[in-house]
Amino acid sequence: METTNVKAYGAQSKEASLEQLNIVRREVTAKDIEIEILYCGVCHSDLHTARNDWGGTVYPAVPGHEIVGKITKVGSEVTKFKVGDTAAVGCMVDSCRTCESCQHDLEQYCMTGFTGTYNGRDKHLGKQTFGGYAEKVVVDEHFVLKVPENLDLAATAPLLCAGITTWSPLRHWKVTKGSNVAVIGLGGLGHMAIKLAKALGANVTLFSRSPEKKQDAFDLGADEIVISTDKSQMSGARGKFDLIIDTVPYIHDVNHYIPTLGINGTIVLVGYLGPLDPMLNTVPMIMGRKSVAGSLIGGIAETQEMLDFCGEHNITSEIEIIKMQDINEAYERMLKSDVHYRFVIDMASLKE
Ligand code: NAP
Ligand code: ZN
Ligand code: ZN
């Protein structure tokens, strides 16, 4: 198969800083689109992958799954896009397309596993996939999204992961006008969850460990802030929420939040992956028919729905634009929860 060399940024090992390297992209096949990447958001999953927090990272690892760019080539059977269009790619670049999940627009739950934009397995090249910290990407048109024309391109990039990951549970648990929603953690996912829940008409509360983020949370649309380390504030929030979206990336005590759910309420974990410690206490769940759930990004149709909703409501991410060369410092700031509220890489810097 024909390939081209592309400049990228990636990690050679879990201890290594990210540095410039060359990767290979396939030439477009009949259904493929080649995109020149203009902007790529920096998700906490990029950091987890570069540092092998979840195990299974193949090196070199090139992260990045919040991609916005311009189409530079299309294959002979591409129908949805043309050269020159703006296009976006999120966390998936392929799936089986035939299983029950794929047939129901739930490619993220593909029974044989979707192909991740990075650290997945490219079916064409038989090698690992490389993400958006690169000049270009080649993707099957089914996994390419349209960007509403009124939205700022850099600030749209984070919608492709932070946006859809919070939109999907808001939709699945039918959040609507008057729903009581809480968000745990004001980072990339958390700030999008506040904006999207607010635009759906919900009353929105933020749980945060960081009192200094209070004003920002109000400015983003939160109605209330609860400092999660303050016992009296936590007990004041008992029995309140229909849905809590927990975006905390590391192990934490989920039991702490269950009393704040109302009867039939659900806490959906989207951040931390792995066993919980301390274990979950079932008593408060049983006593109020409460659920603890998980959720993974969102399907392609749902991602387009979210982008269109953001276009209609003029919603984008709060961003700090960085150069590709600043990525290692950005990761260190992300570990300190010092992101306001998403880093986005201006990919023109990779040409410097
Ligand atoms: P982020 O920007 O770093 O934000 C995480 C926020 O969580 C922080 O700003 C902080 O908020 C809070 N936090 C951080 N460490 C904490 C700790 N040890 N205990 C309690 N709170 C803590 O990260 P992100 O990009 O939003 O990603 C969040 C997580 O979601 C990551 O683990 C990422 O891998 C995962 N993710 C999952 C999916 C999915 O499909 N399920 C998709 C994308 C990302 P405060 O300062 O307000 O407390
Ligand atoms: Zn992500
Ligand atoms: Zn499938």
Side-chain angles (χ1 to χ4, degrees), residues 304-316:
Q304 192 63 60
E305 175 196 73
M306 176 274 310
L307 285 168
D308 296 345
F309 179 88
C310 287
E312 278 160 38
H313 292 81
N314 231 332
I315 295 174
T316 51

Side-chain angles (χ1 to χ4, degrees), residues 11 13-18 41-55 57 59 61-65 118-119 133 249-250 327-339 342-343 345:
S13 74
K14 77 185 180 102
E15 294 87 13
S17 298
L18 274 70
V42 178
C43 178
H44 209 112
S45 304
D46 298 357
L47 187 161
H48 287 309
T49 301
R51 302 197 173 173
N52 201 23
D53 288 347
W54 298 325
T57 300
Y59 294 96
V62 174
H65 58 201
Y118 55 78
N119 206 46
Y133 298 2
Y250 299 100
I327 190 66
N328 295 301
E329 192 195 337
Y331 279 8
E332 291 313 311
R333 283 185 52 195
M334 190 144 72
L335 284 170
K336 291 186 216 139
S337 301
D338 175 25
V339 190
R342 198 61 144 183
F343 291 120
I345 304 159

Side-chain angles (χ1 to χ4, degrees), residues 95-103 106-107 109-114:
S95 70
C96 86
R97 317 280 290 278
T98 55
C99 74
E100 205 181 324
S101 297
C102 287
Q103 292 291 312
L106 295 167
E107 299 90 343
Y109 304 122
C110 175
M111 314 285 207
T112 55
F114 68 86

Side-chain angles (χ1 to χ4, degrees), residues 15-28:
E15 294 87 13
S17 298
L18 274 70
E19 56 182 40
Q20 196 177 309
L21 42 84
N22 287 316
I23 55 167
V24 160
R25 299 286 194 203
R26 65 178 183 267
E27 273 298 332
V28 291

Side-chain angles (χ1 to χ4, degrees), residues 78-98:
V78 166
T79 55
K80 272 167 58 189
F81 297 91
K82 59 181 191 320
V83 170
D85 286 355
T86 302
V89 177
C91 306
M92 299 184 282
V93 290
D94 211 344
S95 70
C96 86
R97 317 280 290 278
T98 55

